[in-house]
Amino acid sequence: MKVTNGAGILVEALAAQGVTHVFSISGGQMSAAYDVMDRRGDMAVVTPRCETSAPIMAAGYIASTGRPAVSMCTVGAGVVYEMGGMAVPWLRYLPVVSIAPQVQSWKMKPHQASLQACDQDELFKPVAKFTAVAGQAGRIPQLVNRAFREALSGSPGPVHLDVPVDVMMGRKFLSAGKYASLFPHPSSTRYGGRIPGDPEAAARAVDAVKKARKPLVVLGQGVGRPCRAPGVPALLENLNVPVLTTLLCTGVSGAKSPVFAGDLSAFAQSGEGAKILAEADAVVVLAA
């Protein structure tokens, strides 16, 4: 017999997704999850200065490593502060998974004047691809799987999951078989392999670049990060074509790269830059 709680199930579900870093300011409603992570010893909790910084730090971790990361905050005010930081992964197409406790499930929708209560799932919708509330402990792994699938599929982006405190801290007595069945492998709900390109389209693109006398490359959203296209920087240097970058691909190509020509907006606003853009006979745009 396995004795656990919603927090234990939540942390186990995150571990199954490969999460090793959680960015969070401690809050009482999340204490059960912190206890489980501490006992495991393979999941680090990184404490930022404020809740707003947590998803920004998670976004930086994902952009630099390509590994999954979670931002956690406490109910109410913590969620409100965190939401502002979610704009960073939202605008930069980074799959940050935000998780927060909620008030007791029987006090939700509509709230019964609970301390710091608000419709958190609704609050995150402008800056999240997917939001959900785990009303039962048994649904937590399913919703964590769904959250990661939504965050990573198509154009990547942040998602948010609420777990009511009674679900988080309520004890569960499960047989070993039942407990194991709660955690399907991530590959059962999403494809994790490489998606090959269209060979004919790639051949036409190569031919166009070869024939061009004044080609340019413009990097757009979501390109070149480890979790998207790790080979892009090397490819650009092999092409030996001037590269212009946009705000949403900051860090992909820079002054250290021999092909970096500058920021696209600044380039276009200068007279000489506008002339070069107008004279380009092939512009290769790489974007998610």
Side-chain angles (χ1 to χ4, degrees), residues 3-11 26-36 39 73-75 100-106 134-138 140 162-173:
V3 181
T4 186
N5 55 18
I9 293 173
L10 172 65
V11 173
S26 299
Q29 294 92 337
M30 292 296 293
S31 58
Y34 301 135
D35 288 343
V36 178
R39 289 197 298 270
C73 61
T74 194
V75 65
Q102 248 290 13
V103 297
Q104 293 91 334
S105 55
W106 65 86
Q136 296 178 338
I140 291 174
D162 279 335
V163 184
V165 291
D166 56 308
V167 176
M168 186 80 72
M169 300 184 180
R171 283 193 173 188
K172 303 292 291 183
F173 298 87

Side-chain angles (χ1 to χ4, degrees), residues 21-264:
H21 286 73
V22 174
F23 298 85
S24 175
I25 284 185
S26 299
Q29 294 92 337
M30 292 296 293
S31 58
Y34 301 135
D35 288 343
V36 178
M37 286 186 275
D38 183 60
R39 289 197 298 270
R40 287 183 62 95
D42 60 355
M43 199 173 291
V45 177
V46 182
T47 304
R49 288 191 169 210
C50 66
E51 287 90 345
T52 308
S53 301
I56 299 174
M57 292 174 72
Y61 179 84
I62 293 169
S64 61
T65 68
R67 295 181 56 81
V70 170
S71 170
M72 280 188 183
C73 61
T74 194
V75 65
V79 162
V80 173
Y81 297 141
E82 187 205 29
M83 195 195 70
M86 287 282 279
V88 172
W90 174 257
L91 291 172
R92 284 162 173 75
Y93 300 87
L94 289 163
V96 171
V97 176
S98 164
I99 298 174
Q102 248 290 13
V103 297
Q104 293 91 334
S105 55
W106 65 86
K107 291 185 178 181
M108 293 173 53
K109 306 287 185 181
H111 290 293
Q112 298 180 14
S114 299
L115 178 64
Q116 297 187 328
C118 61
D119 286 327
Q120 297 176 174
D121 55 320
E122 301 290 337
L123 194 67
F124 275 89
K125 284 187 175 179
V127 288
K129 291 180 63 182
F130 169 77
T131 65
V133 180
Q136 296 178 338
R139 285 207 69 192
I140 291 174
Q142 176 196 15
L143 289 175
V144 168
N145 254 13
R146 172 74 182 274
F148 275 85
R149 186 180 73 197
E150 296 287 347
L152 293 164
S153 63
S155 291
V159 297
H160 178 75
L161 178 63
D162 279 335
V163 184
V165 291
D166 56 308
V167 176
M168 186 80 72
M169 300 184 180
R171 283 193 173 188
K172 303 292 291 183
F173 298 87
L174 303 168
S175 67
K178 177 65 175 176
Y179 183 80
S181 69
L182 289 177
F183 305 100
H185 193 274
S187 62
S188 67
T189 59
R190 68 174 184 268
Y191 176 68
R194 297 182 66 84
I195 301 176
D198 182 339
E200 293 184 5
R204 290 196 299 271
V206 170
D207 186 57
V209 173
K210 283 183 176 179
K211 291 179 178 178
R213 301 185 66 182
K214 295 183 177 180
L216 283 173
V217 173
V218 175
L219 297 185
Q221 62 193 35
V223 175
R225 300 186 182 100
C227 55
R228 295 297 294 167
V232 167
L235 170 65
L236 296 175
E237 293 190 14
N238 287 335
L239 282 175
N240 198 30
V241 173
V243 174
L244 298 172
T245 61
T246 63
L247 178 63
L248 296 179
C249 66
T250 301
V252 177
S253 183
K256 293 182 178 180
S257 172
V259 295
F260 178 65
D263 174 75
L264 176 62

